[in-house]
Amino acid sequence: SLEIRHFVNDGPIDVRGYSLFEQSLQSLAWLAGAYGLYKQNANRAGIVQTWGFSLLGGLATVQIIVLQILLFNPLKTGVSVWETPVLNLLFFAYGLPALFALLFFFEARKQKDLIVEKLSGAATLILIFITITLEIRQMFQGEFIKFGPTSNGEWYSYSVAWLVYAGILLALGILKQSKDLRYASLVLVLMTVSKVFLWDMAELEGLYRVGSFFALGGCLIGIGYVYQRFLLKNQT
């Protein structure tokens, strides 16, 4: 942790401030340590493995939620997220933690640890959603993504991306026979429907508004067909 602080601050570690980049690196380091201990815990359970995993994992989780998502979110602070698409500060702050959450999910399933499996699964879905949403804003806004004017193209892209994400979750839910993934897909579709009717109707103009409604209608028809074809048929 001190080496990370030394690296981020180019030497001194007693400077004031705790940037999003440093938070991200610290969280990733703690998650890496927690994951290593959690894997060890499967074969050699002990005080170090159990408490080390719990403390490091809990510390990283609290920091990601309270600091990285709520207090230091670049949508709120206006801090630079770098000009590079995808491989930028957003990737370190939200994308890589999502990958760690997915690793914890698979390991928890292997260990039959239901609590960690549920929590890490939910964290994966939420962090992927945040990453997708913020990366889209970065594509349109560039280095600074603070709340402000939003173009028609950006508004429309959110709806499309969320529907695609919902479709992927639905497909995985059917293939893996997972109710949790299907419910997550349904929640995302309902969010998109709400966005289209509450925001797109007022914010979008011309072909963007028409395209938004057509895309939503087409996806709803497709989802209805999938449920009828693969789910309701199997239940009967």
Side-chain angles (χ1 to χ4, degrees), residues 10 45 49 68-69 94 107 114 128 185 196:
D10 198 24
Q49 288 79 8
Q68 295 171 218
I69 295 179
Y94 311 108
E107 184 62 29
L114 186 59
I128 290 176
S185 173
V196 169

Side-chain angles (χ1 to χ4, degrees), residues 81 83-86 88 90 132-143 145 154 157:
V81 297
E83 296 182 353
T84 310
V86 183
N88 47 42
L90 301 173
I132 291 173
T133 303
L134 295 183
E135 288 286 2
I136 289 175
R137 184 155 181 83
Q138 193 274 344
M139 289 176 59
F140 283 90
Q141 301 292 333
E143 183 179 0
I145 64 171
E154 183 178 340
S157 296

Side-chain angles (χ1 to χ4, degrees), residues 20 68-69 73-74 90-98 127 130-131 134:
L20 180 60
Q68 295 171 218
I69 295 179
N73 192 310
L90 301 173
F91 179 72
F92 283 96
Y94 311 108
L96 288 179
L127 286 170
I130 292 174
T131 303
L134 295 183

Side-chain angles (χ1 to χ4, degrees), residues 135-206:
E135 288 286 2
I136 289 175
R137 184 155 181 83
Q138 193 274 344
M139 289 176 59
F140 283 90
Q141 301 292 333
E143 183 179 0
F144 302 100
I145 64 171
K146 190 174 183 179
F147 279 120
T150 304
S151 67
N152 285 335
E154 183 178 340
W155 275 114
Y156 181 74
S157 296
Y158 292 134
S159 300
V160 173
W162 294 354
L163 286 174
V164 171
Y165 185 31
I168 293 173
L169 293 181
L170 178 59
L172 290 175
I174 293 173
L175 290 174
K176 301 296 184 180
Q177 297 182 344
S178 170
K179 289 185 178 180
D180 291 338
L181 287 176
R182 297 202 299 269
Y183 290 150
S185 173
L186 180 60
V187 169
L188 200 53
V189 169
L190 292 176
M191 285 180 56
T192 307
V193 170
S194 301
K195 173 186 175 296
V196 169
F197 283 98
L198 295 178
W199 279 279
D200 290 6
M201 186 179 295
E203 297 293 335
L204 296 184
E205 299 175 353

Side-chain angles (χ1 to χ4, degrees), residues 64-130:
I64 290 171
I65 294 174
V66 177
L67 297 185
Q68 295 171 218
I69 295 179
L70 296 178
L71 297 181
F72 288 84
N73 192 310
L75 282 175
K76 176 182 178 182
T77 62
V79 67
S80 169
V81 297
W82 312 344
E83 296 182 353
T84 310
V86 183
L87 297 178
N88 47 42
L89 181 56
L90 301 173
F91 179 72
F92 283 96
Y94 311 108
L96 288 179
L99 177 60
F100 268 109
L102 186 62
L103 292 174
F104 276 111
F105 172 80
F106 287 126
E107 184 62 29
R109 173 166 287 189
K110 185 188 301 183
Q111 296 186 29
K112 294 181 172 56
D113 188 343
L114 186 59
I115 295 178
V116 174
E117 179 183 339
K118 293 291 186 181
L119 291 176
S120 58
T124 301
L125 297 177
I126 294 172
L127 286 170
I128 290 176
F129 173 78
I130 292 174

